Amino acid sequence: MQWEIVIGLETHAQLATRSKIFSGASTAFGAAPNTQASAVDMALPGVLPVLNKAAVELAIRFGLAIGATVAPRSVFARKNYFYPDLPKGYQISQYELPVVQHGSLSFVSPEGGEKTVRILRAHLEEDAGKSLHEDFHGMSGIDLNRAGTPLLEIVTEPDLRGAKDAVAYARTLHALVRWIGICDGNMQEGSFRCDANVSVRRPGAPLGTRCEIKNLNSFRFMEQAIDYEVRRQIELIEDGGTVVQETRLYDPDRDETRSMRSKEDAQDYRYFPDPDLLPLLIAAADIERVRATMPELPQARRERFQSEYGLSAYDADALTGARESADYFEALVKAGAAEPKLCANWQTGELAAALKRDGLEIAACPVSAAALGGLLRRIADGTLSGKMAKEVFEAMWAGEGAADAIIEARGLKQISDSGAIEKLVDEVLAANARSVEEFRAGKEKAFNSLVGQVMKATKGKANPAQVNEILKRKLGA
Amino acid sequence: MLNSSVTEIAAALAERKVSSLELTQLFLERIARLNGELNAYITVSAERALADARAADARLAAGERGPLLGVPLAHKDIFCTRGLPTTCGSKMLANFVSPYDAHVIERFARAGAVMLGKTNMDEFAMGSSNETSYFGPVRNPWKTSAVPGGSSGGSAAAVAARMAPAATGTDTGGSIRQPAALSGICGLKPTYGVVSRYGMIAYASSLDQGGPMGRSAADLAALLNVMAGPDVRDSTSLERPAEDYTRELGRPVEGLRIGLPREYFGAGVDPDVAARVREAVRWFEARGAKTVEVSLPNTRLSVPCYYVLAPAEASSNLSRFDGVRYGHRAQDYADLREMYARSRAEGFGAEVKRRIMTGTYVLSARLLRRLLPAGAEAAPPGGPRFRRRLRAVRPDPRAHHPVDRVRAGRQDRRSGADVPQRHLHHRGEPGRPARPVDPLRFRHRRPAGRPADRRRLLFRGAHAGRGARLPAGQRLACPRADRDAAVSVRLRLLILSAACAGTLLGCGSVQEPAREIGGITGGEAPASAPAASRPPQPRSPQAKSGAAVVGAPARLNISSVCNARDEAGYAGIDPRRWPTVRCASCRQGSRCPGAARAASSSPTSARRATRRTSS
C-alpha cells in the first residue's frame, strides 16, 4: 500500500547584524560567557527593547528574494514561558502579523525536475541564551551572549514530499540566505537551524497527524531523522496504532527520534502584542530602497548562465551554489581566456576538487579567477595538454606563481611543431610494427597504444590532437 | 526653607542666599526625624545627596543657574538608580542594586538636582493605598491614621510632610493623581510617551507613565520640563519638540472651556466630593471659564478594561523576576520548577500574585477566544465615538473616594480601592492613547490634541487657582469642536485635569499641613474633617484640546528607529559591568561555581550587590 510523505520545515536563520535585535550588544560568536549581554539582554528591571533597523532590512531582503509580501504593518508579540536562559520570561517574536508573508522557493529535486515550496511566513524574533548543563556539578550555567540575537523564522507550507526533497529545499534556502547576505549559514554555530513537521497519509487522504522533529543541525541528520520518523509513523499505523501529535528530538548517535513532549504538555504561550514596541510600519519606499541593493538571485543567474554561456542545467546549478562561486565563474569567463564551457569544466572539476580537498570556501581560494584564466589561456592556445595543465594547476595552488611562469620554469611547453611530431611518429611506427599490424587488423586499442608511445617519447609534451591526426594520416585510417 | 516651593528654592540658590548643601542637610534632618513615623522613604541616600549638593554648589559658584540646580528631590523607588537599591516596594527586589540610571534620574542629575532618597510605594505599583509595600505602609502626614493613597504614596507623603520639596511618581491607573489628592499636593500624569519609561520598572507598559509630584502647578511644570522629552531607548516615547511647561503659568483662565462629562457625576460618587467638584467648577466660571456638559457613554467600560489590560501586561512584565539573575531566590528547592515557584511565592506579596494570576488567566488561549469576538481589532470599543467625545475632558469626582485608614500589615487589600481612576487611560488621554479592549490587539496611537492646547489648559488653569480657596480640584475639560455632534461653535476644550484645576485650587486651599508635623505649623486645619473631603484633589491634567487631531498611529518607521546604525555597543550599559548571571539550579547563590566561573571571565564580580547605601 502506498504512503505519501508530507513535510513542512521551520528554519531559524540568524540574521547577520552586528548588534542584537533589541539592544546594542554585539552578536559576535564565541566570546566569554555573558560578556556580550547588555542590560536589555539580561532583562534588568526597567529596560526596554529598541528594534534594530538592520534586522528589519535583512528581513525585507528575504521577503524580496522569495517573492513574498513584505507586510506594510507587522506586530511584535510576546511569547510567554519560563526558562532560565530566557531572561525576560518571554520571547519577543511576531505572531499574528509577521513581516514576510506568502512567498515561494524553487529547488532542483534530486528525483529530477524543479519543485516549488510555498513559504507561509517569515517573522523576526530574538534568540534565547544558552543553558550549560555540563561542568557545573548538579547545577546549570547560563550564558546570555546569544540572548537577543536576531532570528528570522522561515515557515513553509507542508509542500515537501520526501526527506531528499526536504534536504534539497533546505540546501537551497541555505544557499539563498547566504547569497543575499542575511545569514552566514554556519550550522555548527547554530546560525541556521531546521525543525521538520512530518506526517504520512494515503494519497488523496487528508493530512495525517504530524510530529515536529527538533535538533536537525546538519543536512545529513535531517535526512536520517525524517527517514526514521516516516518509517516509525508508517509502522505505527500499519500495526494498527495512531500517531500522536508531539515534539520529538533526533538523536544522531542512535539514529532515532524520541518523544520530547506531547501536545497535551504544550504550553500556552499567552501571546499578546508587546506594548514596549510599536507596530512595525514599512513604507513602499523602504522596500524599494532595499530592492535596489538586491543582487541577481540564484535562479535568475542559473537561467542566465544557460542562455548566455550555453551551459548545461547541471553546470549552471553547480556554479550557482553560492554567490561567490557564480561571481568567480563570471570573472573567469570575463578574463576572456577560454570558452565558458572550458571555464565551467575547470571550476566544477579541478578547482572544486582542490577546494574540497583542502576544506576551503571559494572565497578563500588561493588561485584567483584571473590566475586560473591565465592557465586556461594556455590550454586554449594549445600550449598545454590537459595533463600538463593539471600539473601547472597544482603548482599554482601551491603558490608557485602565475601559469606562464610555471610553464617556463618547468619546461612544460607542449610540442606542436608538426614536423617534429611527424618525425617522432615515424620512429614509433617503425619500432612498433606489431601494433601497426594489430591496428590494421581492426584492433582500435592498438591505435591508443601507439599514441601513448608517442606521448611517452615526448614526456607528454606532444599535442595529443596533432599526434592523433598525424598518426591517422600515416596509418591511412 | 522647608516650606518653600521648588521655584522659591531655586531662586534662593541662584541668589546664593542658601547653599544646596545646607538645604540638603535640612531636608535630611527632617527625613531622619519624620520617616520613622511616616515611612515615606524606603532608602535615604544621605551620602549621595550630600555629594550631589556639593557638586551643585560648585556649579552654582561657577555661575551656572538652572531651575532645579541644587534643589533636593525624592524619587519613587520604581526608578532605577545606579549604586542605590531599587526595590519597587517588593521583597523580590529588596536587595537589588541597579547598575544603571533610569532616563528620568539621568535627566535630574544633569539638571543638578539632589537625590534625597527613594520613596515608598505599593509593591510594583499595584495598589492605591501604599499598604502593599513590603517595607510597610506609608502614613498620611495630615492624619497619620489615614493612608496617603498610592501607589506613589511615599512621594506624596514626603512632599506633603516637607520631607522633600517635590518628588517623582508613576501613574498607571491613578498612582500619581490619587495619592496627590489624598495627601493634599499636586500631581500630574503626563500624556503617555512624554516621559521616557527607560529605567522605570514596568507594571502595565502601555499605561505606565512617570510624572511630577509637588506642591504647586509651577513646581510640576518645573519638574516636567526636566523629565519630559524623547528618549531613543524607549520606542514609545513621543518625538516632538521640547516644550516649556511653565509658559502658560500666570495667564488668565478667562475664555477656557471646560467639559463636564455627565457620567462622572453619576452613581457612586461621594456626595461630599461631588459637591466640592461643583464648587471648583463655579470657581472657574466666576473667573470667565465656560463649562459645557458632555457625555462619554463608554466610561463604564474603563474599569473592566483596566482590569483586563493592566494585569495581562503585568503578568508578562513580572516574569523576569525569577530568581535566576538577580532578585530574591528561595533558599531551598529541589529542582528548577520549585526554584521558580518558591522564589516567586516568597518574593511577591498577595496583591502582586493576584494580578499575575488574573493576567495569566485573561491571556490564556481559551479565555481570549471567548473574550474577543472575531474582528475585534476593527472596532475597538468606543473607538471613534469615544475619541470624539473625549476631546473634552471632564472632572471626575468619582476618583475621589474617602481615604481609607491604614491597616498596618494588611497586605491583601482588595483591588477595589483602585476602581475610580481608570477611564482616561484607555483612550487618547493622558493615559495611553486610544486602546481597544482587546488585549491581543493593543495599538499605539499618538495622542490627539496639540500640545500647546494641553499646556495652556493645564498650567494656566492650575496656576490660576493658586491661593484660591477652592475646595477639591477635579478634572476640568475644555471641549473642542465636535463635528459629529454638530456643535456649531468651535469649542475650545480645555482639559484641565482636575489636578489642574483642582490641584491648582487644591494647592491654594491647603498651603500647609494642618497640624504640626515635625516642627512646621500648618496654615489651614483639615485636622478633624474626614480626610477624604479635605485635601485637594490633584488629578492629572487630561489635556485634550481644541484643534486636536486624532493622531495617526505612531509608526515604528524603520527609518526612524533608534538602533538604526546597527552598531554594537550603541545602546545600553557596558555589558561587562553587569556580568551577574547565576546558575539556574544553584542552591548556593553567589558561591555557586557556575556564577563564579561566569564572573571570572569578566572584570567585575558576579556576586550580586546586596548592600543598601547609608540612610
Side-chain angles (χ1 to χ4, degrees):
Chain A
M1 180 86 95
Q2 282 287 312
W3 289 98
E4 185 179 44
I5 303 163
V6 178
I7 302 165
L9 287 186
E10 291 173 18
T11 306
H12 287 89
Q14 179 180 321
L15 295 175
T17 57
R18 277 169 291 177
S19 61
K20 295 185 176 176
I21 186 168
F22 298 120
S23 85
S26 167
T27 52
F29 181 82
N34 298 312
T35 54
Q36 287 181 176
S38 73
V40 172
D41 306 318
M42 297 216 171
L44 293 188
V47 296
L48 296 169
V50 175
L51 182 60
N52 185 343
K53 181 184 177 185
V56 176
E57 286 177 345
L58 297 184
I60 295 174
R61 282 177 88 77
F62 181 73
L64 293 174
I66 61 163
T69 304
V70 175
R73 177 174 179 273
S74 62
V75 171
F76 287 96
R78 293 184 181 180
K79 178 181 181 179
N80 293 281
Y81 65 95
F82 283 96
Y83 203 71
D85 59 25
L86 186 72
K88 292 186 292 294
Y90 57 85
Q91 177 195 28
I92 303 178
S93 180
Q94 294 189 308
Y95 186 52
E96 292 185 316
L97 294 171
V99 64
V100 171
Q101 304 169 5
H102 305 299
S104 66
L105 185 63
S106 297
F107 64 95
V108 178
S109 168
E111 285 148 21
E114 195 165 85
K115 292 187 179 174
T116 299
V117 174
R118 288 171 298 158
I119 293 176
L120 177 64
R121 57 185 280 160
H123 65 252
L124 286 164
E125 63 182 25
E126 58 179 345
D127 208 344
K130 271 184 191 154
S131 294
L132 309 166
H133 299 299
E134 288 94 37
D135 303 341
F136 292 98
H137 312 288
M139 294 171 286
S140 295
I142 305 295
D143 178 4
L144 295 176
N145 282 352
R146 204 182 62 182
T149 299
L151 299 179
L152 191 67
E153 181 174 340
I154 302 157
V155 183
T156 72
E157 298 278 8
D159 287 354
L160 295 157
R161 291 292 175 268
K164 286 195 163 54
D165 274 1
V167 170
Y169 156 78
R171 283 186 187 278
T172 306
L173 180 66
H174 183 252
L176 178 66
V177 295
R178 296 178 65 195
W179 185 286
I180 59 176
I182 67 169
C183 173
D184 67 17
N186 189 324
M187 297 178 83
Q188 278 75 45
E189 293 174 6
S191 298
F192 188 88
R193 324 194 275 270
C194 295
D195 302 332
N197 281 296
V198 178
S199 65
V200 297
R201 65 174 172 186
R202 301 294 185 188
L207 288 174
T209 304
R210 68 177 188 270
C211 291
E212 182 179 10
I213 317 173
K214 291 199 173 284
N215 200 27
L216 307 177
N217 50 20
S218 80
F219 295 126
R220 192 162 57 91
F221 290 165
M222 179 187 295
E223 187 170 342
Q224 290 171 1
I226 293 173
D227 279 339
Y228 173 87
E229 180 62 19
V230 166
R231 275 199 313 276
R232 187 187 73 86
Q233 291 188 13
I234 292 176
E235 279 168 23
L236 192 61
I237 297 171
E238 290 185 342
D239 288 351
T242 46
V243 177
V244 179
Q245 188 175 337
E246 61 187 354
T247 301
R248 300 179 69 86
L249 202 65
Y250 179 65
D251 179 349
D253 296 333
R254 306 164 113 192
D255 185 22
E256 63 178 28
T257 62
R258 277 201 309 273
S259 179
M260 211 170 120
R261 55 172 182 262
S262 76
K263 196 194 176 193
E264 284 69 42
D265 301 334
Q267 307 195 40
D268 177 354
Y269 290 119
R270 308 192 308 280
Y271 280 101
F272 72 102
D274 191 332
D276 289 333
L277 290 162
L278 302 172
L280 174 63
L281 301 189
I282 300 176
D286 292 324
I287 298 173
E288 290 316 308
R289 203 166 32 76
V290 174
R291 196 193 301 277
T293 67
M294 291 291 286
E296 186 183 17
L297 294 173
Q299 185 161 1
R301 212 156 180 189
R302 206 152 48 222
E303 285 158 12
R304 187 167 61 80
F305 278 11
Q306 294 178 52
S307 62
E308 190 174 330
Y309 301 125
L311 299 184
S312 66
Y314 179 86
D315 280 346
D317 191 44
L319 288 170
T320 52
R323 193 166 148 198
E324 291 77 10
S325 165
D327 288 346
Y328 190 100
F329 174 72
E330 293 215 87
L332 194 54
V333 171
K334 290 217 171 68
E339 287 302 305
K341 178 63 188 163
L342 181 66
C343 296
N345 288 348
W346 267 81
Q347 189 175 334
T348 57
E350 292 304 311
L351 189 75
L355 288 168
K356 191 171 179 190
R357 182 188 66 210
D358 290 5
L360 293 175
E361 295 288 327
I362 196 159
C365 180
V367 178
S368 72
L372 184 60
L375 173 62
L376 299 190
R377 177 173 292 115
R378 294 300 159 235
I379 298 172
D381 70 9
T383 307
L384 293 177
S385 66
K387 194 176 166 208
M388 292 156 85
K390 285 176 189 171
E391 185 184 339
V392 175
F393 176 76
E394 288 307 324
M396 291 169 74
W397 189 268
E400 289 179 25
D404 285 348
I406 294 167
I407 291 166
E408 190 67 32
R410 300 196 174 191
L412 285 173
K413 236 170 170 143
Q414 183 168 255
I415 301 170
S416 298
D417 173 350
S418 48
I421 295 176
E422 264 195 65
K423 202 174 150 227
L424 277 167
V425 169
D426 288 342
E427 286 172 21
V428 168
L429 288 177
N432 294 279
R434 210 170 136 211
S435 294
V436 174
E437 283 310 310
E438 282 175 9
F439 175 75
R440 292 196 199 284
K443 256 187 140 182
E444 286 290 328
K445 269 190 187 166
F447 182 81
N448 292 339
S449 153
L450 290 169
V451 173
Q453 291 295 326
V454 177
M455 296 306 286
K456 194 176 170 189
T458 59
K459 294 190 178 108
K461 291 184 200 171
N463 183 327
Q466 278 179 308
V467 172
N468 266 291
E469 188 200 315
I470 293 169
L471 252 181
K472 278 181 185 166
R473 180 158 45 83
K474 298 254 173 197
L475 290 170
Chain B
M1 236 32 235
L2 285 174
N3 253 332
S4 305
S5 71
V6 167
T7 330
E8 290 161 353
I9 287 174
L13 285 166
E15 289 163 29
R16 319 290 321 269
K17 284 182 181 161
V18 63
S19 72
S20 177
L21 189 61
E22 290 166 323
L23 257 176
T24 301
Q25 281 165 338
L26 188 66
F27 278 100
L28 287 173
E29 282 161 22
R30 185 163 172 86
I31 293 166
R33 197 139 43 92
L34 293 180
N35 203 44
E37 185 181 5
L38 298 179
N39 201 23
Y41 283 84
I42 292 174
T43 302
V44 181
S45 50
E47 272 174 39
R48 164 92 168 251
L50 295 173
D52 286 353
R54 287 191 188 95
D57 281 335
R59 286 167 69 175
L60 284 159
E64 197 179 330
R65 294 292 178 265
L68 292 183
L69 183 53
V71 176
L73 296 176
H75 296 297
K76 186 176 181 179
D77 208 14
I78 198 169
F79 290 104
C80 287
T81 45
R82 189 164 69 212
L84 282 177
T86 299
T87 70
C88 226
S90 180
K91 180 180 179 183
M92 182 57 83
L93 291 179
N95 291 320
F96 176 71
V97 176
S98 170
Y100 77 104
D101 275 335
H103 179 80
V104 163
I105 302 294
E106 282 177 0
R107 289 233 172 184
F108 280 118
R110 211 174 306 143
V114 172
M115 193 200 307
L116 291 168
K118 308 289 291 292
T119 58
N120 207 339
M121 56 184 285
D122 278 304
E123 184 176 4
F124 286 106
M126 296 177 187
S128 50
S129 66
N130 227 301
E131 292 168 291
T132 70
S133 170
Y134 172 67
F135 300 91
V138 178
R139 287 169 186 276
N140 192 319
W142 297 88
K143 183 175 169 190
T144 55
S145 61
V147 300
S151 67
S152 309
S155 289
V159 173
R162 304 339 189 217
M163 295 157 78
T168 53
T170 62
D171 191 320
T172 304
S175 279
I176 287 177
R177 295 162 291 167
Q178 183 259 21
L182 300 196
S183 300
I185 62 162
C186 307
L188 174 73
K189 180 181 189 184
T191 298
Y192 186 86
V194 163
V195 175
S196 167
R197 293 184 295 118
Y198 186 79
M200 199 177 100
I201 298 176
Y203 157 30
S205 311
S206 66
L207 302 169
D208 293 343
Q209 185 62 193
M213 302 178 78
R215 299 216 320 279
S216 69
D219 285 4
L220 298 187
L223 261 66
L224 190 57
N225 270 352
V226 171
M227 299 172 80
D231 176 11
V232 293
R233 296 168 300 187
D234 177 359
S235 309
T236 62
S237 95
L238 286 171
E239 281 170 40
R240 62 186 191 198
E243 292 180 40
D244 180 2
Y245 295 98
T246 63
R247 233 177 52 185
E248 295 293 332
L249 299 173
R251 299 196 183 165
V253 294
E254 193 176 348
L256 297 180
R257 296 190 76 124
I258 301 171
L260 307 176
R262 196 172 299 136
E263 291 77 10
Y264 289 17
F265 294 86
V269 180
D270 185 283
D272 197 19
V273 172
R276 295 179 74 94
V277 173
R278 301 224 180 261
E279 235 179 289
V281 171
R282 282 195 295 279
W283 186 92
F284 274 100
E285 286 170 341
R287 276 149 193 83
K290 297 268 191 317
T291 56
V292 182
E293 187 172 280
V294 296
S295 175
L296 297 170
N298 288 324
T299 298
R300 64 194 167 82
L301 297 176
S302 60
V303 173
C305 288
Y306 176 84
Y307 275 108
V308 170
L309 298 178
E313 293 184 12
S315 70
S316 176
N317 282 333
L318 270 59
S319 295
R320 68 187 59 196
F321 304 110
D322 56 7
V324 174
R325 287 145 295 129
Y326 53 79
H328 179 75
R329 183 192 290 188
Q331 285 297 307
D332 196 28
Y333 45 84
D335 56 19
L336 178 64
R337 186 176 282 254
E338 197 176 312
M339 184 189 94
Y340 282 147
R342 292 208 177 171
S343 300
R344 288 167 67 83
E346 294 168 12
F348 291 140
E351 182 62 32
V352 173
K353 288 177 193 164
R354 185 174 298 121
R355 296 197 196 193
I356 290 174
M357 293 299 287
T358 306
T360 304
Y361 177 66
V362 301
L363 285 177
S364 67
R366 249 180 54 208
L367 188 71
L368 265 188
R369 275 198 300 274
R370 263 180 33 212
L371 280 180
L372 308 174
E377 183 184 27
R385 187 167 58 161
F386 201 99
R387 276 199 300 279
R388 276 199 306 274
R389 309 250 162 108
L390 244 191
R391 282 164 197 145
V393 183
R394 47 287 134 164
D396 179 12
R398 295 191 308 181
H400 315 137
H401 51 81
V403 175
D404 288 305
R405 294 179 67 82
V406 177
R407 275 153 288 202
R410 202 185 74 165
Q411 292 248 333
D412 61 344
R413 267 186 82 73
R414 297 194 49 228
S415 306
D418 277 345
V419 168
Q421 304 277 333
R422 318 294 179 215
H423 357 266
L424 290 185
H425 315 281
H426 302 278
R427 321 290 12 156
E429 263 325 290
R432 161 57 117 253
R435 318 217 23 132
V437 209
D438 180 350
L440 257 190
R441 298 163 208 268
F442 297 159
R443 294 177 139 187
H444 303 256
R445 287 185 189 283
R446 292 218 187 275
R450 291 185 316 201
D453 295 321
R454 277 191 277 260
R455 191 178 56 227
R456 177 161 55 237
L457 297 181
L458 256 181
F459 289 101
R460 197 192 290 185
H463 195 65
R466 182 186 36 153
R469 279 304 153 110
L470 255 187
Q474 21 299 99
R475 172 171 313 173
L476 305 185
C478 226
R480 75 171 217 136
D482 187 334
R483 287 162 295 201
D484 302 295
V487 175
S488 55
V489 204
R490 265 175 88 83
L491 300 179
R492 278 263 138 171
L493 254 224
L494 202 210
I495 300 187
L496 263 199
S497 159
C500 307
T503 294
L504 329 175
L505 315 182
C507 295
S509 64
V510 188
Q511 282 289 44
E512 308 297 334
R515 67 186 183 92
E516 197 202 86
I517 296 176
I520 293 220
T521 308
E524 217 185 6
S528 60
S533 59
R534 273 326 178 138
Q537 305 288 347
R539 295 296 320 270
S540 145
Q542 307 304 339
K544 179 83 39 43
S545 75
V549 174
V550 174
R555 332 183 100 209
L556 184 53
N557 194 309
I558 67 162
S559 56
S560 68
V561 289
C562 129
N563 195 4
R565 294 178 294 170
D566 185 26
E567 283 175 6
Y570 173 61
I573 57 169
D574 177 350
R576 284 165 304 186
R577 282 177 48 197
W578 190 259
T580 313
V581 166
R582 296 184 289 157
C583 306
S585 36
C586 153
R587 292 160 184 251
Q588 296 148 317
S590 57
R591 282 173 294 135
C592 130
R597 189 163 317 186
S600 66
S601 59
S602 58
T604 52
S605 159
R607 180 168 315 214
R608 73 185 170 142
T610 53
R611 258 318 351 124
R612 167 117 5 138
T613 28
S614 62
S615 60

